[in-house]
């Protein structure tokens, strides 16, 4: 090629590159010096023409949330995810615009909410911004878009939400509505540039929007205020809607729920400042609770014509079912499911009011409930949680949560071991068969476990981390609790190493497990496990963990049962493992008694539709009343009482080993391979089991131990060989006593 031709080619390539850059979407914002302050709201608009309307997908990212309208119709209610997939990057949404477009002239409008401050679930980039890219129709955000700061959106006064929440209290002053003018948007960095880093596709669905619904309310007076009280159908994630008329203007109306304080901490609320006349308003920052309250001065010439709410949440269905003759258990199940769902959104979180933080000790319990009752669409939220945990790993190999987070980076060693244990990452794999995620996560698991060492007795060394927390409450034998979690984490790592072809790692993990098991059993004093350095009362948690981990052999079970009847130190978080240990060792009847005694008050509570963080409302320093870790007994009943659990990844094979602690129970499980149903009934004459096995799976049935005169499978005599591999279909097993 001649020099002249090279110059011509270089010029052409430069021209093409310049043209491509010119067509690249840009982050845009308002040309206002206050645009990056906390709790700012910016409106964008763009008119455009199209010849095609099908297959038009827009990629949209925001710092921090956005609402989208096309041709005046709402397309997205609260898009965007809190930042981010790792410390530097941001998620983007893919939105199909086709159903809302028309040939010819169109308009798009977006409302941006910039949090502008950090939290336990969000990283603040320091800059408000939006980027929009629909390449099939050439619609990209740039300086030709119009933008304006909305002065009507302000921040309500004290008290502010506690430091864990990046959201602010929203105050909307209707008197300023329409006062701001549009101007050309300020174009900033291109896609993948700037403080927002690379853009990762949103891994979970857009929110389910149930639409605005009216709600009845009562009127009362407190002090100098009118208080309108509306009981919501249940504790939910919702945005309040009011239809208000003021003969004057400037009346401040407070909008809040009964969860405006999440236990001991201030949470989000809202305010609306009236304008003369009648208007409808929806406060767009979601809050949660069982009761909506609207408060305003009684001397104001205000009429509230109606109240309403819009429920939004993670887009999945409850496809599982459960029923039994025990009304307490049925009520618990419903409360557990309500608590689970109100703790799902951008992430799994511990509570929807005080923190909205993805603590991984909670995630390990929440995912079990999800697998047994929610549609497989919920699995994407678990996968997101796993990938975020490993992608936020510190350079030294430390894992920590909650993540994403800007103002928290402390390791809770017990929770981190739980996250990578057989109750965490490997549990996810068994329920989904998602090998790709295990391959992605294993290097991080390997690095983290390399930080753990053994002492001169062969037991897990003490590791304080950033917060030496094993459970709420007193008398935690921390050395043994850590050792049991370490043992379970090593078992999970051995499985992951074997799956991903790291056989040498597998052998090393098993050797460490052998050491820990032997050292743990040397802490047995004849009636319980106690570490020599531990000075408190004998810990029921350490005993339960020894059983569920398989460290304690059957010769110790009766002794430990006696201890469980007298020691009750576990919080609702660790009580799940105590319940599991009791049922596994054949003491399911007592497990039910202990369960009803300890969980009874929160189950019977008619004011709250969710379960508490502690054993009583406001316990453990003012804990919240909507902590899904208290629903762990749901998984115990599903796996240990109904006895249904996968034995091969993705439910290719599963076992049904019912323990008739309840006289009868009927459970339906929405697995990744289809619906599994197991219903048993235990009478003096027969034990009957009805079973649905999905296509492409096999079930292994193990009947409760009894002296049966005859066992019939679908009307024909059956022995253990036939029950060891039950084919797909609907089956009935009758055991004649």
């Amino acid at each position: 090629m001649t020099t002249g031709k090279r110059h011509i080619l270089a010029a052409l390539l430069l021209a093409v590159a310049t043209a491509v850059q010119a067509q690249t979407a840009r982050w845009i914002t308002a040309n206002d010096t206050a645009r990056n302050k906390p709790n700012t709201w910016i409106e964008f608009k763009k008119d455009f023409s199209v010849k095609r309307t099908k297959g038009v997908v827009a990629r949209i990212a925001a710092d921090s949330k956005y609402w989208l309208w096309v041709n005046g119709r709402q397309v997205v209610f609260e898009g965007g995810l809190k930042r981010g997939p790792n410390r530097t990057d941001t998620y983007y949404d893919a939105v199909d615009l086709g159903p809302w477009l028309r040939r010819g002239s169109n308009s798009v409008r977006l409302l941006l909410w910039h949090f502008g401050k950090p939290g336990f679930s969000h990283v603040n980039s320091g800059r408000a911004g939006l980027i929009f890219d629909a390449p099939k129709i050439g619609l990209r955000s740039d300086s030709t878009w119009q933008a304006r700061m909305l002065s009507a959106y302000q921040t309500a006064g004290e008290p502010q939400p506690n430091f864990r929440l990046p959201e602010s209290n929203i105050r909307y002053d209707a008197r300023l509505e329409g006062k701001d003018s549009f101007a050309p948007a300020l174009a900033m960095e291109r896609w993948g540039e700037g403080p927002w880093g690379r853009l990762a596709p949103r891994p979970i669905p857009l929110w389910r929007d149930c639409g605005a619904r009216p709600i009845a309310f009562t009127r009362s007076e407190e002090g100098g205020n009118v208080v309108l009280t509306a009981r919501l159908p249940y504790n939910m994630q919702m945005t309040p809607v009011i239809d208000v008329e003021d003969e004057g203007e400037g009346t401040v109306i407070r909008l809040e729920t009964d969860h405006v304080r999440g236990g001991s901490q201030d949470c989000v609320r809202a305010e609306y400042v009236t304008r003369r006349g009648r208007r409808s308003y929806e406060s767009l920052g979601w809050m949660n609770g069982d009761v909506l309250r609207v408060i305003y001065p009684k001397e104001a010439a205000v009429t509230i014509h109606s109240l309403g709410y819009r429920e939004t949440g993670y887009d999945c269905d409850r496809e599982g079912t459960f029923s039994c003759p025990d009304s307490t258990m049925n009520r618990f199940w419903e409360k557990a499911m309500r608590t689970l769902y109100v703790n799902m959104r951008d992430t799994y979180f511990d509570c929807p009011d005080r923190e909205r933080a993805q603590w991984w000790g909670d995630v390990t319990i929440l995912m079990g409930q999800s697998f047994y009752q929610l549609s497989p669409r919920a699995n994407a939220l678990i996968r997101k949680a796993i990938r975020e945990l490993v992608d936020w790993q510190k350079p030294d190999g430390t894992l920590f949560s909650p993540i994403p987070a800007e103002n928290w980076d402390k390791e809770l060693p017990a929770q981190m071991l739980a996250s990578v244990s057989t109750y965490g990452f490997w549990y996810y794999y068994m329920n989904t068969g998602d090998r790709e995620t295990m391959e992605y996560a294993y290097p991080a698991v390997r690095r983290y476990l390399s930080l753990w060492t053994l002492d001169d007795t062969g037991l897990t060394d003490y590791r304080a981390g950033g917060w030496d927390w094993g459970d709420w409450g007193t008398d935690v034998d921390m050395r043994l609790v850590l050792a049991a979690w370490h043992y379970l984490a090593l078992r999970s790592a051995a499985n992951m190493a074997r799956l991903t072809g790291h056989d040498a790692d597998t052998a090393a993990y098993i050797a460490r497990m052998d050491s820990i098991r032997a050292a743990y059993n040397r802490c047995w004093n004849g009636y319980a496990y106690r570490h020599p350095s531990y000075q408190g009362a004998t810990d029921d948690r350490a005993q339960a963990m020894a059983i569920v981990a398989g460290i304690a052999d059957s010769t110790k079970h009766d002794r430990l049962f006696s201890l469980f009847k007298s020691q009750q130190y576990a919080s609702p978080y660790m009580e799940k493992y105590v319940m599991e240990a009791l049922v596994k060792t054949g003491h399911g009847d007592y497990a039910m008694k202990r369960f009803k005694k300890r969980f009874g008050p929160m189950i019977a509570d008619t004011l709250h539709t969710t379960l508490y963080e502690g054993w009583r409302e406001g316990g453990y320093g003012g804990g919240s009343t909507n902590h899904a870790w208290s629903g762990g007994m749901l998984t115990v009943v599903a796996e240990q009482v109904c006895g249904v659990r996968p034995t091969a990844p993705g439910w290719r094979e599963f076992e049904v080993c019912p323990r008739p602690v309840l006289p009868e129970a009927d459970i339906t499980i929405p697995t990744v391979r289809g619906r599994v149903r197991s219903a048993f009934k235990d009478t003096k004459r027969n034990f009957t089991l009805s079973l649905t096995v999905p296509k492409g799976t096999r079930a292994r049935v193990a009947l409760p131990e009894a002296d049966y005169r005859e066992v019939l499978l679908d009307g024909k005599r059956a022995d253990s060989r036939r029950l060891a591999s039950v084919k797909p279909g609907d089956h009935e097993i009758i055991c004649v006593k």
Side-chain angles (χ1 to χ4, degrees):
M1 183 181 293
T2 64
T3 301
K5 289 182 178 179
R6 288 194 186 97
H7 287 162
I8 293 172
L9 179 59
L12 288 172
L13 291 173
L14 178 62
V16 170
T18 302
V20 170
Q21 285 188 348
Q23 294 174 7
T24 299
R26 304 283 288 268
W27 283 91
I28 57 174
T29 190
N31 201 348
D32 190 300
T33 57
R35 61 182 176 267
N36 297 324
K37 291 183 177 180
N39 197 27
T40 54
W41 294 73
I42 304 173
E43 184 179 6
F44 301 92
K45 69 176 184 177
K46 175 70 175 179
D47 296 328
F48 60 99
S49 295
V50 297
K51 295 181 179 179
R52 59 179 301 176
T53 61
K54 293 183 179 180
V56 178
V57 175
R59 298 184 300 168
I60 308 170
D63 191 345
S64 308
K65 296 284 187 174
Y66 71 91
W67 287 255
L68 169 66
W69 292 262
V70 175
N71 294 324
R73 294 181 293 173
Q74 187 159 63
V75 177
V76 175
F77 187 93
E78 195 201 291
L81 290 172
K82 292 178 176 178
R83 299 184 68 236
N86 50 55
R87 288 180 174 81
T88 58
D89 297 338
T90 303
Y91 290 110
Y92 73 85
D93 298 343
V95 180
D96 183 3
L97 304 182
W100 290 271
L101 293 174
R102 59 197 177 210
R103 293 180 182 273
S105 299
N106 290 264
S107 65
V108 63
R109 183 169 73 91
L110 294 104
L111 179 62
L112 175 76
W113 182 16
H114 175 57
F115 292 160
K117 59 190 181 81
F120 275 20
S121 58
H122 178 69
V123 176
N124 178 30
S125 74
R127 290 165 62 184
L130 173 91
I131 192 164
F132 184 107
D133 185 18
K136 284 194 175 181
I137 56 173
L139 181 61
R140 298 177 173 91
S141 52
D142 56 24
S143 59
T144 66
W145 287 48
Q146 297 287 300
R148 62 177 177 178
M149 292 270 291
L150 296 179
S151 58
Y153 280 99
Q154 303 166 4
T155 301
E158 297 296 332
Q160 298 300 322
N162 75 87
F163 72 100
R164 301 172 183 86
L165 297 174
E167 297 93 338
S168 297
N169 292 332
I170 301 170
R171 174 188 176 103
Y172 187 82
D173 190 338
R175 296 171 299 178
L176 300 177
E177 193 173 278
K179 302 292 186 181
D180 308 297
S181 300
F182 280 103
L186 176 64
M188 302 180 289
E189 290 88 349
R190 294 178 174 85
W191 188 276
E193 298 176 347
W196 305 280
R198 296 171 300 176
L199 299 180
R202 180 188 183 115
I204 60 175
L206 291 165
W207 310 142
R208 174 169 294 177
D209 179 358
C210 299
R213 300 176 180 178
I215 189 171
F217 59 89
T218 59
R219 186 181 189 277
S220 62
E221 294 185 5
E222 295 179 10
N225 293 320
V226 173
V227 179
L228 307 182
T229 302
R231 183 148 192 99
L232 296 161
Y234 40 73
N235 190 343
M236 66 172 69
Q237 299 170 8
M238 67 90 195
T239 48
V241 182
I242 60 172
D243 181 354
V244 57
E245 186 172 5
D246 194 346
E247 295 177 13
E249 65 177 15
T251 302
V252 178
I253 299 175
R254 287 163 49 196
L255 307 169
E256 63 185 39
T257 73
D258 55 334
H259 285 237
V260 69
R261 284 181 66 82
S264 61
Q265 302 289 329
D266 291 306
C267 308
V268 296
R269 60 186 180 86
E271 292 178 355
Y272 178 75
V273 183
T274 63
R275 184 174 179 173
R276 184 181 297 274
R278 180 173 177 177
R279 281 174 173 75
S280 292
Y281 171 71
E282 179 173 4
S283 185
L284 296 178
W286 71 270
M287 53 187 76
N288 81 283
D290 289 284
V291 176
L292 171 64
R293 291 197 292 253
V294 178
I295 305 166
Y296 57 91
K298 66 180 181 180
E299 69 269 13
V302 166
T303 301
I304 303 292
H305 292 283
S306 65
L307 294 183
Y309 66 93
R310 181 193 304 268
E311 180 184 5
T312 56
Y314 191 91
D315 190 12
C316 68
D317 294 316
R318 180 181 172 185
E319 294 181 353
T321 61
F322 175 81
S323 63
C324 71
D326 190 322
S327 59
T328 299
M329 179 57 69
N330 290 334
R331 181 168 172 78
F332 162 77
W333 205 278
E334 294 307 309
K335 280 201 166 189
M337 291 310 305
R338 173 49 30 200
T339 316
L340 172 65
Y341 189 70
V342 83
N343 280 286
M344 300 169 62
R345 201 173 178 96
D346 293 63
T347 62
Y348 281 105
F349 34 78
D350 60 330
C351 59
D353 37 35
R354 184 181 70 235
E355 298 191 39
R356 304 180 180 181
Q358 189 167 234
W359 297 96
W360 250 93
D362 298 69
V363 176
T364 57
I365 295 181
L366 271 59
M367 76 164 76
Q369 299 170 61
S370 296
F371 285 131
Y372 277 96
Q373 288 291 276
L374 298 181
S375 67
R377 285 174 68 87
N379 297 352
L381 191 60
I382 307 171
R383 181 168 59 251
K384 175 178 181 287
I386 292 172
R387 292 183 70 100
E388 285 178 345
L389 184 61
V390 303
D391 285 342
W392 277 79
Q393 188 170 36
K394 293 182 180 181
D396 68 357
T398 301
L399 295 174
F400 71 97
S401 70
I403 36 85
E406 183 176 349
N407 52 3
W408 178 273
D409 67 352
K410 295 180 174 62
E411 174 198 7
L412 277 70
Q415 284 204 12
M416 293 301 92
L417 289 173
S419 70
V420 302
S421 76
T422 50
Y423 287 98
F425 287 11
W426 191 253
Y427 189 83
Y428 167 81
Y429 176 63
M430 290 299 291
N431 278 277
T432 64
D434 180 2
R435 177 173 180 150
E436 180 183 354
T437 296
M438 293 300 98
E439 291 172 339
Y440 187 84
Y442 177 67
V445 173
R446 182 183 185 184
R447 289 183 64 210
Y448 181 61
L449 290 181
S450 72
L451 303 178
W452 287 82
T453 58
L454 304 182
D455 65 17
D456 56 8
T457 72
L459 193 71
T460 303
D461 260 323
Y462 173 72
R463 181 176 171 85
W467 181 13
D468 180 14
W469 187 92
D471 188 24
W472 287 134
T474 63
D475 299 281
V476 183
D477 192 342
M478 199 63 185
R479 288 296 305 275
L480 292 187
V481 169
L482 281 176
W485 279 124
H486 189 199
Y487 186 88
L488 289 165
L490 289 166
R491 177 182 291 159
S492 175
N495 292 335
M496 294 175 72
R498 190 178 296 112
L499 176 71
T500 57
H502 296 82
D503 295 334
D505 291 354
T506 301
Y509 295 139
I510 292 174
R512 288 209 154 197
M513 290 174 64
D514 291 341
S515 175
I516 293 169
R517 182 172 60 252
Y520 205 114
N521 277 301
R522 284 193 288 271
C523 295
W524 177 256
N525 63 10
Y527 70 92
Y529 290 100
R530 290 179 61 93
H531 191 268
S533 66
Y534 176 63
Q535 300 299 314
T538 300
D539 181 13
D540 51 345
R541 308 170 190 87
Q543 320 310 315
M545 293 303 295
I547 292 171
V548 301
I551 292 171
D553 60 47
S554 60
T555 63
K556 300 178 176 65
H557 290 175
D558 287 343
R559 289 282 191 178
L560 292 176
F561 174 54
S562 297
L563 185 139
F564 287 132
K565 290 192 288 186
S566 61
Q567 307 296 87
Q568 297 183 1
Y569 295 107
S571 84
Y573 166 55
M574 289 298 291
E575 186 72 4
K576 183 259 186 187
Y577 304 102
V578 177
M579 294 290 105
E580 183 176 337
L582 283 166
V583 179
K584 275 188 170 182
T585 55
H587 298 291
D589 291 340
Y590 176 72
M592 288 297 174
K593 291 179 182 178
R594 176 167 166 148
F595 163 73
K596 290 182 179 181
K597 176 184 176 182
R598 305 206 80 191
F599 285 90
M602 69 174 86
I603 296 172
D605 179 359
T606 57
L607 294 179
H608 298 97
T609 56
T610 49
L611 301 169
Y612 310 161
E613 179 176 1
W615 292 117
R616 59 182 177 83
E617 183 177 353
Y620 302 127
S624 81
T625 55
N626 33 220
H627 248 64
W629 71 13
S630 293
M633 185 62 171
L634 183 156
T635 313
V636 175
V637 170
E639 290 183 336
Q640 305 299 329
V641 177
C642 296
V644 187
R645 50 191 176 270
T647 53
W651 287 81
R652 292 196 312 270
E653 297 177 0
F654 60 94
E655 64 181 9
V656 182
C657 308
R659 295 180 173 97
V661 174
L662 299 164
E664 59 182 283
D666 189 332
I667 190 170
T668 302
I669 304 162
T671 78
V672 293
R673 291 184 175 266
R675 184 174 67 98
V676 171
R677 176 175 177 258
S678 176
F680 69 80
K681 185 172 184 178
D682 193 25
T683 68
K684 292 182 179 180
R685 299 181 60 185
N686 298 323
F687 177 83
T688 304
L689 177 66
S690 298
L691 180 64
T692 298
V693 181
K695 291 181 179 179
T697 70
R698 295 268 180 168
R700 181 179 65 83
V701 178
L703 298 171
E705 291 186 7
D707 187 16
Y708 300 123
R709 293 190 291 111
E710 187 177 42
V711 176
L712 302 175
L713 172 59
D714 300 330
K716 298 179 181 180
R717 286 181 178 272
D719 56 25
S720 59
R721 288 174 297 178
R722 291 190 64 196
L723 297 180
S725 184
V726 179
K727 298 178 180 180
D730 295 320
H731 304 282
E732 183 179 58
I733 300 170
I734 300 175
C735 306
V736 183
K737 297 180 180 179

